[in-house]
Amino acid sequence: MRRNGRLGKALVLAVLLGLTMTACFGTAGSSADGGKSVVFSNTGGALEKVFKQNAYADLSRKGITVSTESPNNEAKLTAMVRGSKPTWDVYYSTPYAAMAKCGTLFEKIDYSRIHTGGLDKSQMTDCGVPVLKSHFVLVYNKDTYKSNPPRSWADFYDTKKFPGTRGVMNFAKDAGMETALLAGGVPADKLYPLDYDKAFATLDKIRKNTRFYDTGAQQTQALQSGEVDMMLAWPGRAYDAVKNGANLGVVFNQPIKYYDVLTIVKGAPHQDQAYALINSLIGTKNQKAVVDQQPYGAANSKAGKTSDAAIGAFVADDTKAKGTVVVRDNTWWAKNLDEATRRWTKWVNG
């Protein structure tokens, strides 16, 4: 599905109206079970299926119903909290959003109630509990590029040497600016603070060849259908496309490392159940299921790594990246998320 700036705005409006709600194990916001319910706003997709088969199922046996809504839209969350009527309890977030909105959109975590064994303490913040590790990577259609595939972010931004349609998520946070700067020769350890002008000068080179997407499902569909020839991708969505027949390659030159966190919504109506859900999601059983079925790293080190070669083919690590892994500066993003988003939106709609 093609997305331009106006369509992106329309989609956000639809999300704000709650038109993308889905539910598992109950209707979102249900109280028929006497309050033993919890509503989880997350990204959906294959990762959601893993959660359902493991964490949600385990909680169901304990009498806790998990309902879900996706995608996890921050504009809708903000409206809920400002209206003092949140229906979501747990929100799947970036670490820097959890840092920036701690105490306003999110409750401070009581870590005495969290099973922290196996978690990386450096990723545990006042309002965010780590749940997943991953990397933004360059994926490409092997049928398009055959014996001359792209090998770097510079190639992604070079439409003369590598003609074809690009796919980029329509959010500042999804590494468009970082990859543009890397393509422009900025050293990985000098990325921050982001040079907006330089980033957009490089992004301008692919503007006419780029399609923008708002959900992971759109990302998978675009890769699967051949709508795009290259994508700045989430590895899980690329892997889903391969399972459905896409012939994709992955470039592990300067993959951008990131992790996701779980938060408790400010004023969440079911906070006891929220803690139970978080503990189930970061527990060894659920974490192991994630790495066994999706190309992500576990936040819980006790879960280990996948032994499936097909999944492992999409998992970035230092061996594949040969020491080129780029680490995001979450502190910078926490302080500059709103301004970066404003700049990105202006560029996309310009």
Side-chain angles (χ1 to χ4, degrees), residues 82-104:
R82 287 180 178 174
S84 300
K85 294 182 179 179
T87 58
W88 297 344
D89 299 297
V90 177
Y91 182 83
Y92 192 103
S93 178
T94 61
Y96 41 87
M99 294 164 66
K101 307 300 173 62
C102 189
T104 55

Side-chain angles (χ1 to χ4, degrees), residues 9 15 23 29 37 46 70 119 218 220 307:
K9 289 181 179 178
V15 173
S37 64
S70 64
L119 299 184
Q218 292 170 4
T220 298
S307 59

